[in-house]
Each structure stands twice: as C-alpha cells, then as structure tokens.
Amino acid sequence: MSIVSFKVSDDNPVTEKTLAAQLAKLNVSLHPAEESEFRSFLAAAHETAKAVEEMDDYTPPTDLVRFPRKNLQAIMAKDKLGAWVYKFSLQDTEENNGPLSGISICVKDCIGIAKIPQIMGTDCWEPWTPSTDATVITRLLKAGGKIIGTSNCEQLCAFTGSHTSCLGNVHNPYLLGHSAGGSSSGSAALVASGQAEMALGADQGGSIRIPAAMCGLVGLKPTFGLVPYTGITSNEYTLDHVGPMTKTVEDNAKMLQVLAGIDGFDDRQCGVPEVLEYEFKEHRKLKIGILKESFENPFLEISMKNKILAAIERFKELGYDIVEVSIPMHTQAPQLWSIIERVSGLHSRLGKASGRRLYSDPVFFKHTHPLGDHFFSKAPVNVRNSIINGLYFEENFPGIFAKATNLVLKLRAEYDNALCKVDLLIAPTTPFAAPVHGPREGSPREQVSSTFGINTNTCPFNISGHPALNLPIGFLPTKDSLCKLPVGMQIIGKYFDESTIYTAAYAWEQKFDWHLN
Ligand SMILES: NC(=O)c1ccccc1
C-alpha cells in the first residue's frame, strides 16, 4: 500500500468524522474494528496531499523576458460588435522576421495569456488570471505575430449562437442583431470586420467552423492533437481543438504552419507527424465526395443545400471528380457526441476530469470549484441542461460513455474508409445562415431555440478527429430578403492531411470570388 509515512503534523485535521464523511458519500461502512487504522491511513494521505501542494508546479515555459508583461497595458474594450474583451499589444522584443511578422492577431478568451485575466464569457466565477502562456501564444509570438487582444466568446465556450457571454451579445459584422455564430464569436467578428488580421478559435462541437461560416471566414478545426491545447481551458479532453480563423486560405495555412506540432505537454498529440508542411498552391486534380447524409439533415434549409451543391459543382470547372459518398453512421454521430460532451464534459465542469498526461493549472481549479448554486444559478440554459443530462446519463446508463467511445472509433473508421476512395468529403457547415440573436430572458427553450440543429454536421468531426475547414462560398438572403449573410461549406480531410483541404479550398477561392456569389 502506498503510504509514504505515518508521521503526521500537529495540525493534521483528519478525525473519525472525516473518515465517516467519506464513507457516507458512498453509503458504505467499515467494520468498527477497522476504523481507527483507516483513520490513520487517511491522516497519512492528508500529509501526502499537503506535500504535493507544497511542491513547485511544472508548467510550460513562458518567456517573460523575450515577451515581457511588465508594461503591458490591457484595456477592457467595448465596441459596437461586442467582440473584444481586452485590447493590448504583445509582441517579440527581439528583431523578428518570422512568417507572421507584424500581423495583428486576436485570441479567443479561453486561451491562456500570462497576466491577462480570462473571462471566458462567464460571470459564474470571478475572472481568473493564468500565469503561463498557452503553447499557441508562444508560437505566434516567436513567429513575429502581434497579439492585439482577447476576443469575447460564448459563456464557458458552450454555445453555437452569440448571445450568452456575460460581456454582452456579439453581433454579426454583416448585420447587427444577428448571430456571429459561436462559441468563437468575437474572434470571427473581429477578423470579419477588419479589426484583426487573424484569430485563434477553439472548437469542441463546431465553435471555430460555425462562426467562420456565419461571418464569411476560413476557419479550420485541425486534426485532433495536431495543435497543442496546452494552456487553454479545456471543455472536454477528447473534443478540444484549437485552430486558425482568417480571411483567406493562404493566411490560414500560414497560421497553421506556425501552430502545428508536438509541444511535449499534451497527450492528445500522439501520432502527430514530425514534419509538417502546409502546401496548397499545387494544381492537383482531386476527387471530392459529397457526404450524402449531411445533405439529408432535417435542419438543413433548402436554399443552403442548393447553394452548397452549386458550389461543389464548380469544382468540376477545376477538373475535379465529384462523387456521392454514403456514410449512414454520420447521422448517429451527433448522438455519440452528446453522450461524450455531457458525461465526460460533466467531469470537466465539476473539476474532476483526470487520467490524462497534460498540463492544467491547479490555480484555476481552486478558483472555480466546487461548483455550487452560485455557479448553477448564473450558468446559461445550455450549460445547466448539459450538466443535468450528464448526471442523468451517468446514473441511469452505466457504460454508456464506454460504448459511445467505442462507437466513435467505428465512426472514425467509416470516415477513414470513405477517405480512401476520395481525397476529401464535403458537407454543409451550418444548416442555415446567421439567425437573429435569441433572447436572454424568456423560457429556457426560447433562449436557445435559435441554435437548434446548428452543430449537427460539425460535431461529428470533433469526435472522429478529422480535420474540417469552413470555406466561405457566398451569401444567402435573410428571411425578409433585405440583407444577405455569408454562408460556407465544410471540407473534411484525412488525418493530418490539412494540405489537401487547403489545396482544394485555395483553388476554389482563387477561381471564384465568394463575395460576388
Ligand atoms: N465549444 C463548442 O464547439 C461547442 C459547440 C456546441 C455546443 C457546445 C460546445
């Protein structure tokens, strides 16, 4: 047994009552004759925990000399889109002619930047301030990028609309009062409105691709693990992805080139190739598969369907082959995603996610847990519902998480098989263009109904892990037809084959100006 020492300090708080309290949680008991020694084991365990708490933490290296925070002025900014959190200017102090030299970048407000308070769209707890930079921040700075601020995001990164941040609604730059898409809502609005040249987003169910689609951006959810999640607040370990949001395909590839690769701190990166080069200008003739089931999605509006099918047709003008590919299991993927997002996501929300070899900040856990009614009463409808569902799944369906995870492996194999026959798959990103913001007041259903069905074609690739990119393809008129809003298509590739996605996206983008479509 792993008792390190039975020596306990004078202030050791473990009593018979402490032991009894642990047993009561499971509604179990010990034989009375065993209690005294179990109490002494628990007292020793307390000393072990205290010893670990007193050790210095081991964190990703954050270079505060080369990228100093001493004189960093971070100012809370309020613009008419509601897209900023803090504005500041952080860049390399050494001469830097890197690939992103001088490029302005905003960062979703769940991505750690040392000394910059992280709000993550929530007032469920006070803002928390990381002491380290996420790996992606260090990489952008080393590449010469100029980080100009953090961008507002949906509360706890958990919504596909853009009306749940405690800082206010994020408006679509093409039409105020309409959603920018979520949860990387501010990142999309800032790039689309020209206030930043590039953005980082994060995506657990569509949160890069959906706002990219609704704001007319190129947004990539990279292959699972390709870009380290180190230093970014996790929603759920196997759904977490971070990636670039840009105006053009070329910029997207440029940014990914800087972000990708193993950092040694994230167990999600197993299998990431050592050499990563994002090619996209070659003129290969590709074979494109229209993912049949994604176009039979009951939420998909007919105008969106026709718009995307017409955009795919245009690949023929590039000499590409187009075929239809059926993957029946695609329709079950959102159900599998829901189990994983709610069961494993619950443990993450409760601060109990464990069993992974990766960095997370104990200061954050101390700051935000345990979750109580002060949290629950302020959390938005979707977050409260997800917690209730997760508890219910776990209690009433033992093994459901294991089964969903097994089926995710099958799902991945089905997409992999299809991607042996075609180079790329194409699906709608969203089923309709940006809706009007939902209300913050009103019944729970009223608050969330504008987003029903939005992520049904994006979340499958969070569980499967395949890279998926939104490419803007044109506009659709709003319901009153007085305005038009951007729409996009989703291009899905083989694991770690972002290059082929970029090749097709770049060829399409260069041949057809989506702004005119
Ligand atoms: N963060 C996400 O991508 C997300 C999307 C939809 C629902 C919940 C989370």
Side-chain angles (χ1 to χ4, degrees), residues 108 157-160 183 202-207 235 337 341 455:
K108 186 179 185 182
C157 302
F159 198 56
T160 55
S183 63
D203 188 318
Q204 284 85 11
S207 285
N235 266 26
W337 178 85
E341 195 260 341
N455 74 351

Side-chain angles (χ1 to χ4, degrees), residues 381-397:
V381 168
N382 52 310
V383 170
R384 285 180 286 153
N385 182 57
S386 176
I387 289 173
I388 294 165
N389 288 186
L391 289 163
Y392 181 81
F393 285 149
E394 201 169 48
E395 188 175 320
N396 293 285
F397 298 90

